[in-house]
Amino acid sequence: MPTHSLPPRALSRRAFLRRSALAGGAAATGSLLAACGSSSQEGSGEGAEAMTYLSILPLETLAMAPELLGVAGGYFAKHGLDVELQPVKGTAQGIQTLISGIGPVCRAGQIDLMTTMSEENRPLVAIGTLYRGSGLRILYSKSDPLTKPEDFVGKTIGVPSEGGTSSKVVSLVLAAGGFDPARTPRQVTGLTPGTFNLVQQGRIGGYVTSIDTANIVLSQHEDAGVFDPGTVVKSDSQVYLTTRDVMQQNPDMLKAFLAGIHDTLTAFVADKNFDKTIAKMREQYSFATLDDDVIARKSLGISRELWTGGDPNQPLLVTHEDAWLAGYRELVDAGVAKPGGDASSWFDNSLLPEAKA
């Protein structure tokens, strides 16, 4: 995912120290273990339970808005949690770290969960759906647009990693049009706004990035266009993941985390122009898309539609079985996931606040 410069002042001292400690190759589990140990020692001191959230995204993107506001707005603390946001290097490391028991929760794409579960019997469970559509965007030049699956055939698309979620989404776009995904090469590229120069130079046909980065590029380049893969792909939702062991051993912590996320989403939904939520986030964080009023409001507005599914009266975070199974069928039909999996057993709504009613 794209990165923007995040000044040290933008993070709490505790978070900054953690990021610094991990900067020199913290991919190893041992490094994360050490970091988590310090979290417990550095707890809030107010009786809150320390918890490490494993973020597959960098913190300096509005794609992380629910978790950032959960910390800055005190929504996790309200439910007795001292949550530390810990970036990891992508979904694969996030899932492996989760299974290792180092962190109890991470966010992942439905695509990655289903491909993993269909290939291996991992002890993973989706406990809440955050994005009900794609949080990715594909930037292109209007001189050579990417507005439908056939436009992608034969063009090189920039992705953050080989075989990752973004690459799978490109494959699903092609499959939706009946085209062989192998006909579209992928190239690992940077995903910052500056990568759009490669598109303008014709070196790549487009690249996958986040909603807020796409909005920056659109604001800076009149020749930029954007494709929402969610218009043709059903399975690109995002969910919160945990393990069967954590569900059994500490369900109250998971309930508190989901209650905190639920409260943050409720705050975003109620804040029509995002004045209050943006101001609260800026008290603790500073990065390009958050600091720009226009980009922040536009990006959060799009995200709110995805969090609510376009209907703010519907319960937040609930995973709907029909949509879930439709996503699995799509992945199987496209050859991205193996058939025969019991997808209904891969999610559980019982820890959500609504489940108490």
Side-chain angles (χ1 to χ4, degrees):
M1 295 298 294
T3 60
H4 309 290
S5 175
L6 185 63
R9 66 177 177 80
L11 294 171
S12 67
R13 179 176 181 275
R14 182 159 52 105
F16 173 67
L17 291 174
R18 171 166 295 189
R19 284 168 62 88
S20 299
L22 293 172
T29 295
S31 296
L32 288 172
L33 270 171
C36 290
S38 67
S39 176
S40 299
Q41 295 165 7
E42 297 172 3
S44 67
E46 300 174 354
E49 181 178 5
M51 173 184 164
T52 299
Y53 172 81
L54 304 169
S55 176
I56 62 171
L57 304 172
L59 302 186
E60 56 274 21
T61 169
L62 289 172
M64 281 289 294
E67 292 87 351
L68 295 176
L69 182 63
V71 173
Y75 295 107
F76 293 130
K78 171 186 171 185
H79 294 281
L81 290 183
D82 177 24
V83 174
E84 189 80 11
L85 305 178
Q86 174 59 68
V88 294
K89 293 185 176 180
T91 302
Q93 188 190 72
I95 289 176
Q96 186 56 47
T97 307
L98 191 72
I99 292 173
S100 300
I102 295 169
V105 178
C106 74
R107 198 205 303 176
Q110 178 185 355
I111 295 170
D112 287 306
L113 173 64
M114 288 187 161
T115 53
T116 298
M117 296 298 285
S118 69
E119 294 171 359
E120 307 171 65
N121 187 24
R122 311 306 292 270
L124 300 171
V125 186
I127 55 174
T129 294
L130 179 61
Y131 280 82
R132 301 186 183 283
S134 181
L136 301 176
R137 294 295 182 268
I138 302 174
L139 285 166
Y140 61 82
S141 171
K142 291 178 180 176
S143 63
D144 193 8
L146 300 171
T147 60
K148 50 189 180 301
E150 49 264 47
D151 293 338
F152 286 73
V153 177
K155 295 177 183 174
T156 299
I157 304 299
V159 295
S161 62
E162 295 181 2
T165 302
S166 298
S167 182
K168 291 172 184 171
V169 167
V170 173
S171 294
L172 290 169
V173 169
L174 286 153
F179 301 101
D180 181 357
R183 297 176 63 185
T184 295
R186 320 297 153 80
Q187 178 178 324
V188 177
T189 63
L191 301 177
T192 64
T195 303
F196 189 67
N197 291 334
L198 299 179
V199 179
Q200 293 174 312
Q201 295 166 7
R203 296 170 63 183
I204 58 176
Y207 69 105
V208 185
T209 188
S210 66
I211 290 171
D212 52 353
T213 297
N215 286 333
I216 285 182
V217 173
L218 290 173
S219 72
Q220 295 176 341
H221 301 278
E222 292 184 355
D223 60 327
V226 64
F227 177 74
D228 174 5
T231 57
V232 294
V233 175
K234 301 182 180 70
S235 53
D236 192 23
S237 68
Q238 290 185 17
V239 298
Y240 289 107
L241 282 185
T242 191
T243 66
R244 297 283 181 189
D245 283 345
V246 176
M247 282 192 70
Q248 182 176 11
Q249 295 169 9
N250 202 344
D252 290 341
M253 179 179 61
L254 298 175
K255 289 180 179 178
F257 174 80
L258 290 170
I261 288 292
H262 189 277
D263 286 352
T264 65
L265 296 178
T266 301
F268 279 122
V269 170
D271 189 10
K272 184 176 180 180
N273 294 319
F274 305 110
D275 290 341
K276 294 179 181 178
T277 47
I278 288 174
K280 180 57 67 176
M281 292 171 69
R282 286 177 179 171
E283 289 178 4
Q284 189 158 344
Y285 307 104
S286 176
F287 51 89
T289 53
L290 174 62
D291 295 342
D292 185 306
D293 284 346
V294 174
I295 298 298
R297 288 191 171 88
K298 182 177 181 180
S299 301
L300 289 173
I302 295 171
S303 295
R304 180 164 58 189
E305 289 292 307
L306 294 168
W307 298 332
T308 63
D311 184 354
N313 295 317
Q314 292 297 313
L316 298 163
L317 296 171
V318 172
T319 300
H320 300 296
E321 184 167 18
D322 54 349
W324 185 256
L325 296 180
Y328 180 52
R329 286 194 296 272
E330 177 185 58
L331 293 170
V332 170
D333 290 345
V336 175
K338 292 184 176 180
D342 182 12
S344 294
S345 67
W346 301 341
F347 76 92
D348 190 323
N349 287 321
S350 66
L351 300 176
L352 295 174
E354 286 82 358
K356 297 176 181 177

